[in-house]
Amino acid sequence: MYFADHTWPELGDALSPGSVALVPLGSTEQHGPHLPLATDHLIAEGLATAAAERSDAFRTPTINVGVSPHHRQFPGTMWVDPPEFRDYVESFSRNLAYHGIDRVVFVNAHGGNVQHLREVGRRLHEDEVAYAVEWMWDESIPELVDDLFERNGPHAGPKETAMITHLAPDLVREDRLEDARDGGLVDLESADTMVHGARTFYDAVENSANGAFGDPTDVTPEKSERLFEAAADQLVQLAEWIGERDEAELFPEPRVEREST
């Protein structure tokens, strides 16, 4: 069920303790010369929509702009600073809890959001407001991603190209796939990203001149569908698992008292 398509009486009848919300989050940022800036939030919204249709979870509106200052050199990239992002998502989640939803899955498709969503989840858990977890789609099916693509990449590579090929094929600039590969960074090991144990870069452009990583030419509609369906299935299973948990399993354990001697 998608929240915004329903009236308040309909939602009032549908919501109850134990309800699960799927909150799609992504970014609006460069994804090489072949993918739209909407890539991440389109993936998150597509997966959340599919999972909500296949389970009892509710899908909320999408949070389209995330923590993306490391892509700022590329025209069109938008971002918010981490503290503001965390506060916004926390407030958004507390609003859901006010309406009785105490279980939230942050359906995330942007790596820059990960640590901040986990921090929001920790805050909500500590305050016993809601049980909220960050879910990154490709981390739910790492073996499949590796099996499907020989030269993967963390950003604007074959896995993201495949997801947009499945969700919005008209937005993939197929005539720029080779440009993305040849003008980007195909082999991550060839980049001097770590020196003596220290990460030596801050911005994506320092490693990839056109913002793409990996080889997106290795994508087919068949691979794309397989990737999407596998990730959607993982999200459905996660939503069902959270929905089935007793409240006592989700919220903090009591303080450990010193044993008497």
Side-chain angles (χ1 to χ4, degrees):
M1 177 184 290
Y2 176 49
F3 255 56
D5 284 345
H6 295 272
T7 66
W8 70 261
E10 292 168 346
L11 287 173
D13 291 339
L15 298 178
S16 62
S19 294
V20 178
L22 306 177
V23 181
L25 303 102
S27 65
T28 300
E29 64 181 25
Q30 73 83 17
H31 274 79
H34 62 302
L35 294 178
L37 273 66
T39 291
D40 285 347
H41 69 253
L42 287 177
I43 294 172
E45 185 171 281
L47 288 168
T49 298
E53 291 173 348
R54 304 173 192 181
S55 70
D56 294 329
F58 297 86
R59 176 174 74 84
T60 73
T62 303
I63 298 175
N64 292 338
V65 178
V67 181
S68 302
H70 49 294
H71 294 291
R72 66 186 184 276
Q73 287 90 348
F74 296 92
T77 290
M78 304 181 71
W79 69 91
V80 291
D81 290 333
E84 286 71 21
F85 177 78
R86 291 192 295 267
D87 288 347
Y88 180 86
V89 176
E90 180 178 350
S91 180
F92 187 103
S93 303
R94 287 178 181 273
N95 170 249
L96 295 174
Y98 176 82
H99 292 297
I101 299 175
D102 62 355
R103 299 148 200 246
V104 179
V105 178
F106 296 132
V107 181
N108 183 34
H110 173 53
N113 294 340
V114 171
Q115 62 179 313
H116 308 294
L117 294 174
R118 290 175 180 172
E119 169 60 18
V120 170
R122 187 196 64 79
R123 293 180 190 177
L124 297 170
H125 183 259
E126 189 174 84
D127 291 346
E128 299 188 36
V129 171
Y131 181 80
V133 294
E134 183 270 340
W135 179 82
M136 186 77 173
W137 71 270
D138 57 322
E139 293 181 357
S140 74
I141 50 171
E143 295 86 1
L144 179 60
V145 173
D146 288 340
D147 288 344
L148 289 178
F149 307 114
E150 181 178 352
R151 293 188 289 181
N152 216 329
H155 180 79
K159 62 186 178 185
E160 291 187 322
T161 301
M163 294 296 268
I164 299 302
T165 296
H166 181 76
L167 290 165
D170 292 345
L171 296 182
V172 179
R173 280 61 167 178
E174 294 186 0
D175 61 331
R176 300 299 305 276
L177 293 175
E178 291 185 2
D179 294 341
R181 177 195 64 197
D182 297 341
L185 180 66
V186 174
D187 182 8
L188 298 184
E189 294 182 358
S190 66
D192 293 328
T193 57
M194 296 290 292
V195 176
H196 302 303
R199 174 170 161 161
T200 60
F201 71 98
Y202 286 95
D203 299 324
V205 73
E206 295 178 59
N207 291 319
S208 173
N210 68 8
F213 296 79
D215 182 3
T217 66
D218 186 25
V219 172
T220 66
E222 293 75 21
K223 289 181 179 181
S224 301
E225 181 178 11
R226 186 178 173 192
L227 197 70
F228 180 86
E229 290 299 326
D233 181 63
Q234 288 293 308
L235 181 55
V236 168
Q237 292 187 58
L238 175 61
E240 292 176 344
W241 179 86
I242 290 177
E244 292 169 355
R245 302 275 74 75
D246 291 332
E247 183 177 342
E249 296 179 72
L250 300 178
F251 290 103
E253 297 286 340
R255 180 177 179 270
V256 176
E257 300 294 342
R258 189 178 67 176
E259 294 183 0
S260 58
T261 57

mmCIF file with all atom_site columns, all heavy atoms in Angstrom, residues 37 40 61 72 105 109 151 162 177 194 210:
data_model
loop_
_atom_site.group_PDB
_atom_site.id
_atom_site.type_symbol
_atom_site.label_atom_id
_atom_site.label_alt_id
_atom_site.label_comp_id
_atom_site.label_asym_id
_atom_site.label_entity_id
_atom_site.label_seq_id
_atom_site.pdbx_PDB_ins_code
_atom_site.Cartn_x
_atom_site.Cartn_y
_atom_site.Cartn_z
_atom_site.occupancy
_atom_site.B_iso_or_equiv
_atom_site.pdbx_formal_charge
_atom_site.auth_seq_id
_atom_site.auth_comp_id
_atom_site.auth_asym_id
_atom_site.auth_atom_id
_atom_site.pdbx_PDB_model_num
ATOM 1  N N   . LEU A 1 37  ? 20.399 11.467 -13.096 1.00 0.00 ? 37  LEU A N   1
ATOM 2  C CA  . LEU A 1 37  ? 20.673 11.853 -11.708 1.00 0.00 ? 37  LEU A CA  1
ATOM 3  C C   . LEU A 1 37  ? 19.705 11.192 -10.738 1.00 0.00 ? 37  LEU A C   1
ATOM 4  O O   . LEU A 1 37  ? 20.000 11.040 -9.555  1.00 0.00 ? 37  LEU A O   1
ATOM 5  C CB  . LEU A 1 37  ? 20.596 13.378 -11.553 1.00 0.00 ? 37  LEU A CB  1
ATOM 6  C CG  . LEU A 1 37  ? 21.876 14.174 -11.835 1.00 0.00 ? 37  LEU A CG  1
ATOM 7  C CD1 . LEU A 1 37  ? 22.279 14.096 -13.300 1.00 0.00 ? 37  LEU A CD1 1
ATOM 8  C CD2 . LEU A 1 37  ? 21.718 15.643 -11.424 1.00 0.00 ? 37  LEU A CD2 1
ATOM 9  N N   . ASP A 1 40  ? 19.498 6.668  -8.045  1.00 0.00 ? 40  ASP A N   1
ATOM 10 C CA  . ASP A 1 40  ? 19.387 6.056  -6.713  1.00 0.00 ? 40  ASP A CA  1
ATOM 11 C C   . ASP A 1 40  ? 17.959 6.097  -6.180  1.00 0.00 ? 40  ASP A C   1
ATOM 12 O O   . ASP A 1 40  ? 17.460 5.107  -5.634  1.00 0.00 ? 40  ASP A O   1
ATOM 13 C CB  . ASP A 1 40  ? 20.335 6.739  -5.731  1.00 0.00 ? 40  ASP A CB  1
ATOM 14 C CG  . ASP A 1 40  ? 21.790 6.335  -5.951  1.00 0.00 ? 40  ASP A CG  1
ATOM 15 O OD1 . ASP A 1 40  ? 22.028 5.357  -6.685  1.00 0.00 ? 40  ASP A OD1 1
ATOM 16 O OD2 . ASP A 1 40  ? 22.679 7.002  -5.399  1.00 0.00 ? 40  ASP A OD2 1
ATOM 17 N N   . PRO A 1 61  ? 6.189  8.211  0.871   1.00 0.00 ? 61  PRO A N   1
ATOM 18 C CA  . PRO A 1 61  ? 6.834  8.997  -0.182  1.00 0.00 ? 61  PRO A CA  1
ATOM 19 C C   . PRO A 1 61  ? 8.349  8.870  -0.114  1.00 0.00 ? 61  PRO A C   1
ATOM 20 O O   . PRO A 1 61  ? 8.919  8.536  0.925   1.00 0.00 ? 61  PRO A O   1
ATOM 21 C CB  . PRO A 1 61  ? 6.379  10.425 0.128   1.00 0.00 ? 61  PRO A CB  1
ATOM 22 C CG  . PRO A 1 61  ? 5.065  10.251 0.820   1.00 0.00 ? 61  PRO A CG  1
ATOM 23 C CD  . PRO A 1 61  ? 5.237  9.007  1.659   1.00 0.00 ? 61  PRO A CD  1
ATOM 24 N N   . ARG A 1 72  ? 29.843 16.580 -5.879  1.00 0.00 ? 72  ARG A N   1
ATOM 25 C CA  . ARG A 1 72  ? 29.428 17.953 -6.124  1.00 0.00 ? 72  ARG A CA  1
ATOM 26 C C   . ARG A 1 72  ? 30.056 18.589 -7.356  1.00 0.00 ? 72  ARG A C   1
ATOM 27 O O   . ARG A 1 72  ? 29.505 19.554 -7.904  1.00 0.00 ? 72  ARG A O   1
ATOM 28 C CB  . ARG A 1 72  ? 29.737 18.813 -4.896  1.00 0.00 ? 72  ARG A CB  1
ATOM 29 C CG  . ARG A 1 72  ? 31.228 18.987 -4.590  1.00 0.00 ? 72  ARG A CG  1
ATOM 30 C CD  . ARG A 1 72  ? 31.437 19.732 -3.270  1.00 0.00 ? 72  ARG A CD  1
ATOM 31 N NE  . ARG A 1 72  ? 32.854 20.001 -3.011  1.00 0.00 ? 72  ARG A NE  1
ATOM 32 C CZ  . ARG A 1 72  ? 33.690 19.133 -2.457  1.00 0.00 ? 72  ARG A CZ  1
ATOM 33 N NH1 . ARG A 1 72  ? 33.257 17.926 -2.145  1.00 0.00 ? 72  ARG A NH1 1
ATOM 34 N NH2 . ARG A 1 72  ? 34.958 19.452 -2.241  1.00 0.00 ? 72  ARG A NH2 1
ATOM 35 N N   . VAL A 1 105 ? 11.710 0.284  7.708   1.00 0.00 ? 105 VAL A N   1
ATOM 36 C CA  . VAL A 1 105 ? 12.854 -0.127 6.906   1.00 0.00 ? 105 VAL A CA  1
ATOM 37 C C   . VAL A 1 105 ? 13.237 1.041  6.012   1.00 0.00 ? 105 VAL A C   1
ATOM 38 O O   . VAL A 1 105 ? 12.426 1.503  5.208   1.00 0.00 ? 105 VAL A O   1
ATOM 39 C CB  . VAL A 1 105 ? 12.549 -1.361 6.034   1.00 0.00 ? 105 VAL A CB  1
ATOM 40 C CG1 . VAL A 1 105 ? 13.771 -1.718 5.178   1.00 0.00 ? 105 VAL A CG1 1
ATOM 41 C CG2 . VAL A 1 105 ? 12.133 -2.548 6.890   1.00 0.00 ? 105 VAL A CG2 1
ATOM 42 N N   . ALA A 1 109 ? 19.289 3.297  -1.438  1.00 0.00 ? 109 ALA A N   1
ATOM 43 C CA  . ALA A 1 109 ? 20.008 2.971  -2.677  1.00 0.00 ? 109 ALA A CA  1
ATOM 44 C C   . ALA A 1 109 ? 21.182 3.908  -2.910  1.00 0.00 ? 109 ALA A C   1
ATOM 45 O O   . ALA A 1 109 ? 21.658 4.034  -4.037  1.00 0.00 ? 109 ALA A O   1
ATOM 46 C CB  . ALA A 1 109 ? 19.056 3.016  -3.873  1.00 0.00 ? 109 ALA A CB  1
ATOM 47 N N   . ARG A 1 151 ? 33.072 -7.070 -14.081 1.00 0.00 ? 151 ARG A N   1
ATOM 48 C CA  . ARG A 1 151 ? 33.771 -5.879 -13.588 1.00 0.00 ? 151 ARG A CA  1
ATOM 49 C C   . ARG A 1 151 ? 32.739 -4.920 -13.017 1.00 0.00 ? 151 ARG A C   1
ATOM 50 O O   . ARG A 1 151 ? 32.219 -4.046 -13.691 1.00 0.00 ? 151 ARG A O   1
ATOM 51 C CB  . ARG A 1 151 ? 34.583 -5.231 -14.712 1.00 0.00 ? 151 ARG A CB  1
ATOM 52 C CG  . ARG A 1 151 ? 35.739 -6.125 -15.170 1.00 0.00 ? 151 ARG A CG  1
ATOM 53 C CD  . ARG A 1 151 ? 36.652 -5.427 -16.145 1.00 0.00 ? 151 ARG A CD  1
ATOM 54 N NE  . ARG A 1 151 ? 36.020 -5.227 -17.438 1.00 0.00 ? 151 ARG A NE  1
ATOM 55 C CZ  . ARG A 1 151 ? 36.616 -4.649 -18.485 1.00 0.00 ? 151 ARG A CZ  1
ATOM 56 N NH1 . ARG A 1 151 ? 37.855 -4.215 -18.370 1.00 0.00 ? 151 ARG A NH1 1
ATOM 57 N NH2 . ARG A 1 151 ? 35.976 -4.519 -19.632 1.00 0.00 ? 151 ARG A NH2 1
ATOM 58 N N   . ALA A 1 162 ? 21.886 -1.906 -14.555 1.00 0.00 ? 162 ALA A N   1
ATOM 59 C CA  . ALA A 1 162 ? 20.904 -2.980 -14.699 1.00 0.00 ? 162 ALA A CA  1
ATOM 60 C C   . ALA A 1 162 ? 19.582 -2.616 -14.043 1.00 0.00 ? 162 ALA A C   1
ATOM 61 O O   . ALA A 1 162 ? 18.497 -2.879 -14.601 1.00 0.00 ? 162 ALA A O   1
ATOM 62 C CB  . ALA A 1 162 ? 21.460 -4.269 -14.098 1.00 0.00 ? 162 ALA A CB  1
ATOM 63 N N   . LEU A 1 177 ? 27.219 4.017  -23.067 1.00 0.00 ? 177 LEU A N   1
ATOM 64 C CA  . LEU A 1 177 ? 27.719 2.969  -22.178 1.00 0.00 ? 177 LEU A CA  1
ATOM 65 C C   . LEU A 1 177 ? 29.223 2.767  -22.323 1.00 0.00 ? 177 LEU A C   1
ATOM 66 O O   . LEU A 1 177 ? 29.949 2.650  -21.325 1.00 0.00 ? 177 LEU A O   1
ATOM 67 C CB  . LEU A 1 177 ? 26.987 1.656  -22.441 1.00 0.00 ? 177 LEU A CB  1
ATOM 68 C CG  . LEU A 1 177 ? 25.499 1.615  -22.076 1.00 0.00 ? 177 LEU A CG  1
ATOM 69 C CD1 . LEU A 1 177 ? 24.887 0.289  -22.497 1.00 0.00 ? 177 LEU A CD1 1
ATOM 70 C CD2 . LEU A 1 177 ? 25.296 1.846  -20.584 1.00 0.00 ? 177 LEU A CD2 1
ATOM 71 N N   . MET A 1 194 ? 43.893 3.925  -1.263  1.00 0.00 ? 194 MET A N   1
ATOM 72 C CA  . MET A 1 194 ? 44.416 3.701  0.077   1.00 0.00 ? 194 MET A CA  1
ATOM 73 C C   . MET A 1 194 ? 45.937 3.755  0.044   1.00 0.00 ? 194 MET A C   1
ATOM 74 O O   . MET A 1 194 ? 46.575 3.137  -0.823  1.00 0.00 ? 194 MET A O   1
ATOM 75 C CB  . MET A 1 194 ? 43.969 2.340  0.614   1.00 0.00 ? 194 MET A CB  1
ATOM 76 C CG  . MET A 1 194 ? 42.470 2.191  0.799   1.00 0.00 ? 194 MET A CG  1
ATOM 77 S SD  . MET A 1 194 ? 41.813 3.191  2.160   1.00 0.00 ? 194 MET A SD  1
ATOM 78 C CE  . MET A 1 194 ? 42.548 2.349  3.565   1.00 0.00 ? 194 MET A CE  1
ATOM 79 N N   . ASN A 1 210 ? 34.668 10.829 -15.314 1.00 0.00 ? 210 ASN A N   1
ATOM 80 C CA  . ASN A 1 210 ? 33.281 11.024 -15.738 1.00 0.00 ? 210 ASN A CA  1
ATOM 81 C C   . ASN A 1 210 ? 32.270 10.516 -14.706 1.00 0.00 ? 210 ASN A C   1
ATOM 82 O O   . ASN A 1 210 ? 31.069 10.480 -14.959 1.00 0.00 ? 210 ASN A O   1
ATOM 83 C CB  . ASN A 1 210 ? 33.023 10.364 -17.094 1.00 0.00 ? 210 ASN A CB  1
ATOM 84 C CG  . ASN A 1 210 ? 33.079 8.840  -17.050 1.00 0.00 ? 210 ASN A CG  1
ATOM 85 O OD1 . ASN A 1 210 ? 33.168 8.233  -15.984 1.00 0.00 ? 210 ASN A OD1 1
ATOM 86 N ND2 . ASN A 1 210 ? 33.028 8.220  -18.214 1.00 0.00 ? 210 ASN A ND2 1
#
